[in-house]
Amino acid sequence: VMDPKNRVKEYVIEIRTQDSNIWSEVGGKTPHDPVKRTYLKKVDKLDADTLYIVRIKVVDKKDRVGEPSPEAQGRTGCAPPSSPPSNINLASPTNTQVKISWQAPPQSTWRCSNIRYRIEYVTGDGQRKQIDEPSTSIEHLFDSEPNTKWIVKIQTVNDAGESPWSKELTITTAEGPPGKVTGIITTPKGPKAIEVTWKKPTDTNGVITGYTVSYRLKSIVECGPRSGVPIEKHVRNEKQLLEDLIPDATYEIWITAHTTMAGPQSEIVTETTEEAIPTGAPLNVKVSGITSNRADVTWAQPECEQRNGRIIDYAYELTTTNKWGENKTGNNAAERLTLDELTPFTEYKIRVAAINSVGQGPFTDWVSFTTQSCAPGPPTDLKEEGVSEHAIETSWLPPYPPNGNI
């Protein structure tokens, strides 16, 4: 301002926003300095990111205000937002999803024409992660693992900074089916039991409330394949003893873990029980080819379900009620036995028992037979008992054994 007559006292700054027709005086009075050619005045406490129209008025020493200067304009810069989004809600539509929704904060709190939202979340792994969403977004859907705790908060962001964080919200997704049971170990515990142990699923997807141990007969070693009906045991721990099984039999075993939902079936494992003493006797004992001093004895193995293991030997007992007969015992590996050196015309009876690697089973019922007769031996103990004029009296004993009816 040119002031050759030294009449200028001070200057007044007036501003208005682009959307308003009302001028406001800001920054107080600026004194006139006759030496100064250029004035610099900082006006603060304005709205951020707002276009202002500015003009200057001159005040003389009589406090008369002159006409305003030509107008100028300028836009303030952005400031950090003052408020986070409002009405924040955290939900889990399914056990594998988490959704956060919100409403935009009042525009007066943006302090900038453009904003975005920053979401910070912590899941089961404990690591804090952030994602940004545009100002047009009002929700975000996360993929999640079942039974996972989420901690989520949100703030408003612009180019100048961030608002305070919202209050943290917490949610835990619902449980899901657990993963497969692994590490199954089976151990025979005698002829009628198998111990089963296993490991929890790597992905539990919730609290493991128990397990279903399923098993069925696959085969009896001595009988071949069998189709058994599955049996289930419901247990809480990672160990179970399966009892009342068949000796020397192979079983299929599988396990399912449970939360509030059942998981997938584990891989099937097989295990065979130990052998036991046979519980059945040999079958169809027959005696044939009988002569005066020999006989052939044949039989069949016990019923396969009663062998309880591979039959490796047989025990037999041969007895006679005749006083001249001889009792015998022995073992025979085959299902055929030849008896030699028998006594003619003698009643015998025989029975047989099966033997496996564990021990001897029960005997069969007695089977009787009688050897054929043959020529008797000579009498014995011949004695002269008396002599007369025309006779001799003698005595003797019958042959022993008689080898038949004398």
Side-chain angles (χ1 to χ4, degrees):
V1 174
M2 303 300 293
D3 185 22
K5 297 181 179 181
N6 193 25
R7 290 184 296 176
V8 177
K9 176 185 176 183
E10 57 194 7
Y11 303 96
V12 175
I13 303 173
E14 291 182 340
I15 65 172
R16 66 176 176 86
T17 63
Q18 186 182 24
D19 300 327
S20 175
N21 294 322
I22 300 174
W23 293 91
S24 301
E25 184 179 322
V26 296
K29 304 292 192 296
T30 303
H32 175 70
D33 186 346
V35 178
K36 186 180 292 187
R37 301 298 300 271
T38 302
Y39 292 83
L40 179 64
K41 186 78 172 184
K42 181 178 181 180
V43 179
D44 55 12
K45 297 182 180 180
L46 303 180
D47 292 336
D49 194 29
T50 302
L51 181 65
Y52 284 93
I53 312 299
V54 183
R55 68 185 182 182
I56 309 295
K57 289 183 178 180
V58 179
V59 181
D60 66 12
K61 291 179 180 180
K62 294 182 179 182
D63 294 328
R64 292 177 296 187
V65 180
E67 292 296 320
S69 68
E71 295 176 357
Q73 63 181 23
R75 180 178 290 276
T76 54
C78 291
S82 60
S83 297
S86 59
N87 294 331
I88 303 166
N89 182 60
L90 194 61
S92 179
T94 70
N95 61 6
T96 58
Q97 292 178 320
V98 169
K99 183 175 76 172
I100 181 173
S101 59
W102 63 89
Q103 290 182 350
Q107 193 165 0
S108 60
T109 67
W110 292 12
R111 296 181 176 178
C112 202
S113 58
N114 294 313
I115 61 168
R116 59 188 183 275
Y117 304 108
R118 180 164 295 150
I119 304 171
E120 183 174 285
Y121 59 97
V122 182
T123 59
D125 60 10
Q127 297 183 356
R128 290 187 176 273
K129 300 175 183 178
Q130 293 183 345
I131 62 168
D132 283 1
E133 286 287 316
S135 61
T136 54
S137 293
I138 58 171
E139 65 180 27
H140 183 83
L141 190 64
F142 293 95
D143 291 329
S144 175
E145 295 294 329
N147 193 48
T148 299
K149 181 179 180 181
W150 286 71
I151 303 174
V152 184
K153 58 184 179 180
I154 188 170
Q155 65 181 179
T156 311
V157 180
N158 62 26
D159 292 341
E162 307 87 17
S163 74
W165 286 104
S166 68
K167 183 180 178 180
E168 286 187 341
L169 298 179
T170 301
I171 196 170
T172 300
T173 54
E175 294 183 344
K180 281 186 179 182
V181 169
T182 60
I184 300 176
I185 299 175
T186 56
T187 307
K189 294 294 182 180
K192 292 188 175 183
I194 295 174
E195 182 183 83
V196 187
T197 60
W198 59 91
K199 295 180 180 179
K200 285 184 177 181
T202 302
D203 297 323
T204 57
N205 293 333
V207 178
I208 300 296
T209 57
Y211 302 90
T212 299
V213 182
S214 305
Y215 61 100
R216 66 184 169 207
L217 179 65
K218 181 182 180 182
S219 65
I220 300 175
V221 175
E222 289 297 300
C223 300
R226 289 290 187 270
S227 180
V229 176
I231 300 173
E232 293 184 349
K233 299 286 187 181
H234 300 285
V235 300
R236 291 187 176 274
N237 300 318
E238 290 78 39
K239 182 178 181 179
Q240 176 64 21
L241 185 66
L242 308 180
E243 300 178 290
D244 298 325
L245 306 181
I246 299 174
D248 196 38
T250 300
Y251 286 84
E252 293 180 324
I253 303 167
W254 63 94
I255 303 170
T256 301
H258 296 265
T259 56
T260 54
M261 305 174 70
Q265 175 185 305
S266 70
E267 301 298 328
I268 294 177
V269 298
T270 58
E271 185 59 84
T272 302
T273 53
E274 297 177 0
E275 294 186 2
I277 294 173
T279 51
L283 305 173
N284 301 324
V285 180
K286 296 179 180 179
V287 182
S288 62
I290 302 171
T291 67
S292 60
N293 58 6
R294 70 180 299 276
D296 293 323
V297 185
T298 59
W299 59 87
Q301 292 190 19
E303 294 286 355
C304 64
E305 291 88 352
Q306 298 178 331
R307 297 172 196 168
N308 300 336
R310 186 173 67 86
I311 302 301
I312 58 176
D313 201 4
Y314 295 92
Y316 69 89
E317 291 182 354
L318 178 70
T319 63
T320 177
T321 56
N322 298 108
K323 56 185 177 181
W324 55 77
E326 180 182 358
N327 296 333
K328 293 182 180 181
T329 60
N331 291 81
N332 195 70
E335 287 84 34
R336 184 182 183 90
L337 171 66
T338 297
L339 300 172
D340 294 315
E341 300 181 357
L342 301 178
T343 302
F345 197 62
T346 301
E347 183 179 353
Y348 290 95
K349 58 182 180 179
I350 190 169
R351 63 179 183 175
V352 185
I355 300 172
N356 61 21
S357 64
V358 180
Q360 178 179 308
F363 277 100
T364 62
D365 293 334
W366 291 102
V367 175
S368 299
F369 67 97
T370 302
T371 53
Q372 296 182 5
S373 60
C374 67
T380 60
D381 199 21
L382 180 64
K383 295 179 180 179
E384 181 183 305
E385 297 292 340
V387 178
S388 65
E389 181 179 0
H390 298 287
I392 299 175
E393 183 179 355
T394 62
S395 65
W396 63 89
L397 296 175
Y400 187 87
N403 294 345
N405 290 318
I406 300 298

